[in-house]
Amino acid sequence: MERKSGRVSTSVVVFVMLISTVFASTLVNADVSQDFNTSFSKKLVEKPSTVRLIERLSERSVSSSNLFGAVVHINCDGVKVSKELKWNTYKAIDVDKNNATGVNGMDVEVKYIVFPWVEFEPEFAVGMIFSLSVNRLGEEVKNKNLTVSLNATIGGTKVEVGYMSPNETGNEVPDSVTVTFMPLYYPMECVGFRLALLPNYRSGVENKTLVLFTNYERENTEKGFSVKFDPAVETQVEFKPTKSEGEWKYTFMRFSEVETLVTAKVKNVVGSSEKETTVIVDKLPEEMSFSLQLTPFTSEGGVFLYESTNVFNVKLEVISSETGVCKYITLLNTPKKVEAKWNPMRLNGSYSLSVESNNTRFMLRDTPFNPAVNLTVTAVQDLDLMATWNLSQPGNFTLTKSRGLVANLDFKIGDWYAKVNSRLSSDKLFLSWYLNVSGYISIDTDWQPASTTNVEMKSESLGLKLSAETLKAEDFLLQWVLWPPQEWNLSWSGEIDFVDLNIDIFSEGSWYHLWPLS
């Protein structure tokens, strides 16, 4: 794969130097990290929670001269308010412009902190922490549609971090919430981004939903992230680009016993080029880490690469405009690795798949409901396969494999439907056809046995069904002429061997049983 240059960009060096210079007079006691490691359970020490660290730092008396200009923007059911904030100091705000609500007319109190960050494990990284904390003061706005965001500028870098509490059935604005955003520079690699959410609901988290969002702009580059939590529980998410072009590493840590559905969106803008990827995890395990690469293949096709050190019993959905027609990608029971490449055309179509798995289902679709294009492989074990086809008249379909045994394919492309269920001890299954009152079917397995094979291919006007046990064939050609009606004139050539074989064809609006003749 193409590799990015390891050269450190001048803008990143200047940014890091700016951080160090600006904060030369801002001292955080070294014992904060020690207190942090001894104040929480073993579980949280093993999985360090960024927002918990923010709480401890906020309790410290840290000198500040309000070095950064920061503004909080609030939208409460369409009422918009903006206020300047002082560093690490709560400011009470009237968000609905109603003096009769909240406490003395104030509905929320907001504070922010910004400080530099250096970490040595698991990798050395330097960066910044931007944190926003909000406490709801009254009951009147808890069922409103509320958005709160912090905007700060450091040098030439603009940062936004905030959350949105939607007005949905059963949802309410949290009693308190802390959201955190950390841009992290990994020397000789890249800039990664860590997000953290710590909500608090006195009424419990059931049916509570929050969207955490951030934005990072520098020069002609913009990166935006939004993560929806349903329900909203304490979670930490990291997005980190790798050295491989178009590949990102996703890391999730859930600090709650309550499972949650997570919808994460990543937007990357460089100049006038914009790319967006959505990843949905249902339900999020306590820890989940994987890398994901999405690239175009042809104008209609794409390439998908997923890798992880573990398997997860979850549903993972990916939505991307980088993968041609098949924008919706679904994995059920995520494997350790999936690499797929496809060109979902009726003519000269192709699909290759390599999986390290145990009972994974992998789906490619153009739309989530009633798709016109659907490439699905089910019950996947460790498998390497390649399928090519011409879904036409005449037409052909070839399935080859170099690893694995079971291949269950369900393909839909336009008005054509293809279903192949086979236990291929052979490395190849080839079918070709011309389906009419005078036509042919060709079968070839290179004289290697396919222990169980069921194939069905059909369009609105043509169709083929083949079922066989212990089938092997080489250059087998079955030809027929249906004349007069209901009488078959059959001939064949090549070699074929089977325990059981049934062939039916669909032509001119009717199914005809071709083999065996009664």
Side-chain angles (χ1 to χ4, degrees):
M1 293 181 179
E2 183 181 351
R3 295 286 180 179
K4 292 182 179 178
S5 171
R7 186 179 304 164
V8 181
S9 68
T10 303
S11 61
V12 172
V13 172
V14 172
F15 178 54
V16 174
M17 292 177 64
L18 176 64
I19 293 172
S20 303
T21 303
V22 169
F23 274 93
S25 61
T26 303
L27 302 178
V28 180
N29 293 336
D31 61 350
V32 168
S33 60
Q34 181 179 353
D35 290 348
F36 172 68
N37 286 336
T38 58
S39 299
F40 301 105
S41 68
K42 184 174 184 294
K43 175 181 177 183
L44 291 186
V45 172
E46 293 173 348
K47 296 166 51 178
S49 168
T50 300
V51 287
R52 300 283 184 180
L53 174 61
I54 298 300
E55 289 182 336
R56 298 305 303 271
L57 289 171
S58 298
E59 295 170 0
R60 300 288 171 144
S61 177
V62 181
S63 62
S64 171
S65 56
N66 202 26
L67 296 168
F68 303 111
V71 178
V72 64
H73 300 286
I74 303 176
N75 187 331
C76 180
D77 267 359
V79 178
K80 298 180 180 179
V81 179
S82 297
K83 297 287 183 181
E84 291 188 358
L85 298 179
K86 292 184 178 180
W87 193 86
N88 199 26
T89 302
Y90 273 110
K91 184 179 185 65
I93 301 175
D94 176 10
V95 301
D96 58 2
K97 297 184 179 180
N98 185 344
N99 292 330
T101 61
V103 176
N104 298 322
M106 301 297 167
D107 305 291
V108 299
E109 59 177 8
V110 183
K111 77 170 180 180
Y112 86 100
I113 56 175
V114 178
F115 54 87
W117 179 255
V118 178
E119 65 184 28
F120 298 92
E121 294 182 355
E123 297 177 74
F124 176 75
V126 296
M128 299 286 290
I129 292 184
F130 300 83
S131 183
L132 174 68
S133 297
V134 182
N135 295 327
R136 177 165 53 82
L137 300 178
E139 297 296 306
E140 292 84 357
V141 299
K142 77 174 183 179
N143 295 319
K144 300 289 183 68
N145 197 330
L146 182 70
T147 301
V148 184
S149 65
L150 172 76
N151 290 69
T153 301
I154 303 176
T157 302
K158 297 180 181 180
V159 172
E160 179 185 29
V161 57
Y163 73 93
M164 190 266 287
S165 178
N167 181 14
E168 298 176 351
T169 302
N171 191 38
E172 64 182 45
V173 175
D175 295 281
S176 65
V177 62
T178 297
V179 293
T180 302
F181 178 47
M182 297 174 64
L184 292 170
Y185 171 64
Y186 297 87
M188 305 304 295
E189 289 190 13
C190 58
V191 177
F193 304 90
R194 189 176 300 159
L195 290 67
L197 172 71
L198 177 59
N200 177 46
Y201 298 90
R202 285 194 294 265
S203 60
V205 300
E206 185 178 1
N207 296 322
K208 305 302 190 300
T209 300
L210 274 181
V211 179
L212 165 62
F213 60 86
T214 65
N215 207 60
Y216 175 91
E217 292 184 51
R218 185 168 184 82
E219 297 176 343
N220 68 334
T221 300
E222 176 185 353
K223 298 187 186 298
F225 308 91
S226 72
V227 188
K228 181 179 181 180
F229 301 89
D230 183 12
V233 297
E234 183 181 354
T235 312
Q236 185 169 292
V237 185
E238 183 166 3
F239 307 94
K240 181 183 174 184
T242 72
K243 291 182 179 180
S244 296
E245 185 69 30
E247 183 178 61
W248 284 73
K249 183 177 180 181
Y250 296 72
T251 302
F252 299 85
M253 291 186 179
R254 173 169 56 84
F255 294 85
S256 170
E257 299 299 325
V258 179
E259 292 183 329
T260 184
L261 169 67
V262 172
T263 303
K265 294 183 180 181
V266 178
K267 181 180 70 173
N268 187 28
V269 180
V270 179
S272 60
S273 174
E274 179 175 334
K275 299 177 182 179
E276 183 172 290
T277 300
T278 301
V279 175
I280 304 170
V281 184
D282 185 10
K283 300 287 192 174
L284 182 69
E286 288 190 356
E287 293 187 47
M288 185 176 186
S289 180
F290 57 87
S291 61
L292 194 63
Q293 186 176 28
L294 301 156
T295 53
F297 175 45
T298 64
S299 61
E300 303 293 328
V303 178
F304 174 87
L305 175 62
Y306 168 97
E307 292 183 288
S308 179
T309 56
N310 296 295
V311 297
F312 300 98
N313 184 22
V314 301
K315 178 181 180 181
L316 178 71
E317 295 182 88
V318 180
I319 306 170
S320 173
S321 59
E322 289 294 290
T323 54
V325 171
C326 297
K327 296 178 172 61
Y328 296 83
I329 304 169
T330 303
L331 281 167
L332 296 178
N333 299 323
T334 60
K336 288 189 176 182
K337 181 179 179 180
V338 171
E339 186 170 8
K341 182 186 292 186
W342 61 92
N343 182 26
M345 306 296 291
R346 282 200 312 110
L347 301 180
N348 299 315
S350 64
Y351 179 92
S352 66
L353 180 66
S354 177
V355 183
E356 295 177 17
S357 168
N358 183 14
N359 197 30
T360 290
R361 186 178 187 186
F362 183 57
M363 294 180 285
L364 302 168
R365 294 170 293 173
D366 62 337
T367 61
F369 305 105
N370 299 318
V373 177
N374 186 349
L375 307 178
T376 297
V377 184
T378 59
V380 180
Q381 311 291 325
D382 290 351
L383 182 68
D384 289 302
L385 66 81
M386 176 76 181
T388 59
W389 59 81
N390 286 283
L391 301 178
S392 56
Q393 174 80 317
N396 57 70
F397 184 92
T398 304
L399 180 64
T400 58
K401 70 170 185 64
S402 57
R403 183 171 61 105
L405 179 64
V406 179
N408 295 327
L409 286 66
D410 289 273
F411 290 177
K412 183 179 186 298
I413 301 175
D415 66 339
W416 273 88
Y417 171 78
K419 184 174 183 179
V420 179
N421 298 322
S422 181
R423 295 182 62 87
L424 279 178
S425 49
S426 63
D427 295 332
K428 171 185 172 182
L429 174 64
F430 171 79
L431 298 172
S432 65
W433 60 81
Y434 183 82
L435 307 175
N436 209 323
V437 292
S438 175
Y440 66 84
I441 292 174
S442 178
I443 307 172
D444 198 332
T445 69
D446 283 344
W447 204 243
Q448 297 179 16
S451 56
T452 301
T453 302
N454 291 283
V455 177
E456 180 179 350
M457 298 187 183
K458 188 178 181 302
S459 68
E460 292 181 355
S461 58
L462 304 171
L464 163 68
K465 290 181 183 179
L466 182 149
S467 63
E469 296 289 338
T470 318
L471 170 67
K472 61 180 181 178
E474 186 163 18
D475 297 329
F476 178 72
L477 179 65
L478 177 64
Q479 297 175 289
W480 66 84
V481 175
L482 178 57
W483 186 262
Q486 304 305 319
E487 292 186 13
W488 294 98
N489 182 8
L490 295 180
S491 64
W492 57 86
S493 61
E495 301 292 330
I496 192 167
D497 187 33
F498 53 86
V499 173
D500 185 37
L501 176 64
N502 288 277
I503 301 175
D504 297 270
I505 64 169
F506 182 82
S507 180
E508 297 186 347
S510 299
W511 280 101
Y512 298 95
H513 184 65
L514 180 62
W515 184 285
L517 293 177
S518 57

